[in-house]
Amino acid sequence: MSDPLVVIAALPGVPEAVDEARQAVDRLYRHRVLRRASPAVSAESSLRGARASAALEGSDVALDVLRQGQASDPVVQGALRASAALGALGPVWRKTPRQALARLHTLAAVGLADESSLGRPRTDGSLSGDSSSGDSSTAAADLAARMDGLFGLLGSGTKAPAIVLAAVVHAELAVLRPFGTADGVVARAAERLTLVEYGLDPKSLVAVELGHLESPYADALAAYLTGTPEGVAQWVRHCAAAVSLGVREATAICEAMQRG
C-alpha cells in the first residue's frame, strides 16, 4: 500500500469528522481578533493545551497557578516546556523527526527520568508510571521497526488530511511509549506539531489537548490499540472531535480578547 493513511482517511465516519473539524478551523481563522493578536491567542492556547496534557497524566493544575509560575509538579513543568518548544521544532519535525522527538522528551521528562535517559528511546521492556493506554509488551526490536514506520509516514508526502496523520502520530507514540516516561505528553505535543507543520493549524491556535481532556481519551486509544479498522476509525474520529473542541477553546480566547 503506497499511502496507508489514505485508507485510514476513508474509514467509516472519518471523512465527515475530518471535514467538520477542518471547517471549524477555517471559521476560527476568520476571527477578526487574529488580525492583530494571533501570537497572543497562540500563547494562551499553548498554555491551556499544556495544562490539559498534564491533566491527562493525572497532574491537574489551575490555569491561574500556571500563570503565576507556582506549579512545581514535574509533569506540569515538562508539558509547559514541551509546548513552549514547538515553534522552534517545526523545521526539525519535517526533516529529522527522530531528533525532534528526542528534544521533546528531553524537555518533558526532566524530574521523571534519569538524566542519562533523557531523549533516548528505551532499549528494553521497562516502563515508568501509568501505562494504562500503552502497550508495555512491545519489544525493543519491534519498537524500533514501528518507529521507523512512523517516521516514514511523516516523510511520505501522504495525500491524507493532516488530522489523520496527526492522529496516527499521536496514537503510535502513546501506545508504543518509546521512551518509557512522559510519552503521553510527548505524543500530544507531536500531534499539535503535526497539525501546525502539515497545514491545518499553521498559527498553532487550536488547543487540541483540551479536546482530548474533554473526551473519552483512554477509550479511544484502547480502540486504536486493537488494530481493527473499526478501532482505528474510532480513534481518528476522536482526534477530529478533539480538534473541534480545541477550536471552541481558541474561539473563547479570541472572544475574551475582543471584549478586552
Side-chain angles (χ1 to χ4, degrees):
M1 185 66 63
S2 59
D3 195 344
L5 293 179
V6 168
V7 176
I8 293 175
L11 290 172
V14 170
E16 296 83 359
V18 168
D19 186 59
E20 181 179 344
R22 182 190 56 78
Q23 291 185 40
V25 174
D26 288 346
R27 289 192 296 271
L28 169 64
Y29 270 68
R30 292 194 292 268
H31 199 289
R32 65 171 61 184
V33 165
L34 298 177
R35 298 173 189 170
R36 57 177 175 80
S38 63
V41 175
S42 177
E44 179 65 16
S45 172
S46 294
L47 180 68
R48 297 186 188 195
R51 188 206 70 80
S53 189
L56 283 164
E57 299 298 309
S59 297
D60 197 351
V61 176
L63 275 173
D64 287 344
V65 174
L66 295 186
R67 291 195 180 98
Q68 295 164 10
Q70 296 178 348
S72 59
D73 186 290
V75 174
V76 175
Q77 288 297 317
L80 289 170
R81 284 190 297 268
S83 180
L86 294 186
L89 285 176
V92 183
W93 186 234
R94 278 188 169 274
K95 294 180 180 179
T96 52
R98 194 185 306 271
Q99 180 181 339
L101 281 181
R103 179 60 179 161
L104 284 174
H105 183 255
T106 298
L107 295 168
V110 173
L112 301 171
D114 185 88
E115 186 173 344
S116 64
S117 68
L118 296 178
R120 298 178 179 275
R122 59 184 174 90
T123 57
D124 55 26
S126 63
L127 292 170
S128 300
D130 178 18
S131 62
S132 58
S133 61
D135 182 4
S136 60
S137 66
T138 306
D142 294 335
L143 171 62
R146 287 277 290 272
M147 292 300 292
D148 285 344
L150 178 61
F151 297 143
L153 290 176
L154 285 164
S156 67
T158 179
K159 302 294 185 182
I163 289 176
V164 175
L165 175 59
V168 172
V169 166
H170 181 161
E172 286 291 289
L173 294 173
V175 303
L176 291 175
R177 300 197 68 201
F179 298 103
T181 53
D183 295 286
V185 169
V186 170
R188 289 181 289 275
E191 177 191 28
R192 184 163 183 153
L193 188 55
T194 303
L195 293 174
V196 170
E197 289 303 313
Y198 288 79
L200 181 76
D201 181 25
K203 295 182 179 180
S204 192
L205 304 174
V206 179
V208 63
E209 304 92 339
L210 193 67
H212 290 302
L213 182 62
E214 294 184 0
S215 304
Y217 179 72
D219 290 345
L221 267 180
Y224 178 88
L225 192 56
T226 66
T228 64
E230 294 80 9
V232 173
Q234 180 180 336
W235 168 251
V236 179
R237 292 194 303 266
H238 163 89
C239 288
V243 168
S244 295
L245 289 170
V247 167
R248 184 192 66 184
E249 187 73 7
T251 303
I253 295 169
C254 289
E255 295 296 327
M257 289 185 177
Q258 184 169 280
R259 291 192 299 269

